[in-house]
Amino acid sequence: TSLSSGFDLLAAIEEPVIIKPGERKLVNTGLKFSIPAGYELQVRSRSGLALKSGIMVLNSPGTVDSGYRGEIGVILYNSDKNNIFYVHNGDRIAQGVIASVIQKNQIKFMATTNLSESDRGSGGFGSTGVQ
C-alpha cells in the first residue's frame, strides 16, 4: 500500500522448497540490488507467515549491505513443531525495507573504561520488566 514501509520478497525457485519442523533453508528471490551508500536492505519476517505457520527469517532482520551485488537469498526457519512448510515459486516469503545507516567509516571507536551514567545502566535481557 502507499503507506507501507517495505515491499514483498518472493521466492524465485524451480522446485518447491520443503522446510521440516526445526529446519532452515535458503530460498532465492532472483533479485539483485544496487543499494546506495548510506543505506541497507533489511530482510524481515512476514507477520502472517510467522503467526499462521511459524515461518520466520532466521537472522531477522537480515542485512544486505550497499556493496553487495549478488542475488538476495532469504534464510527461512520453520519454528512449528509439527508441520512441514512448502515454499513454491512466487510465494511471498519475506519483506524488504530500505533503511538509512551510519557506516563504520563515519564512526570513531575509542577504547575507554568510563561510560556516562544512564537510568538503565547495564541492565539488559528483560531487566526493565514486563509492563
Side-chain angles (χ1 to χ4, degrees):
T1 63
S2 63
L3 297 178
S4 295
S5 61
F7 52 92
D8 289 328
L9 295 171
L10 283 61
I13 52 179
E14 293 184 17
E15 296 181 11
V17 173
I18 300 167
I19 310 174
K20 297 176 184 172
E23 195 173 55
R24 61 187 176 271
K25 293 279 180 83
L26 181 66
V27 181
N28 290 324
T29 65
L31 299 174
K32 296 180 181 181
F33 291 95
S34 179
I35 301 165
Y39 293 87
E40 69 173 343
L41 167 62
Q42 296 177 356
V43 179
R44 301 177 181 181
S45 299
R46 290 179 47 86
S47 58
L49 279 181
L51 177 63
K52 296 174 185 173
S53 302
I55 299 299
M56 62 184 99
V57 175
L58 188 58
N59 61 325
S60 186
T63 294
V64 180
D65 295 310
S66 61
Y68 179 69
R69 295 296 185 268
E71 182 178 358
I72 305 301
V74 178
I75 305 168
L76 291 181
Y77 174 71
N78 185 351
S79 68
D80 191 283
K81 292 183 178 15
N82 302 307
N83 296 309
I84 294 173
F85 187 78
Y86 297 88
V87 180
H88 299 93
N89 188 51
D91 285 353
R92 295 182 293 170
I93 57 170
Q95 57 184 330
V97 173
I98 302 293
S100 63
V101 294
I102 298 174
Q103 294 174 309
K104 69 178 183 177
N105 61 350
Q106 298 171 302
I107 301 170
K108 182 178 179 183
F109 293 95
M110 299 179 345
T112 183
T113 56
N114 298 313
L115 298 175
S116 62
E117 295 291 322
S118 74
D119 290 340
R120 185 173 182 176
S122 61
F125 299 104
S127 64
T128 59
V130 176
Q131 298 180 358

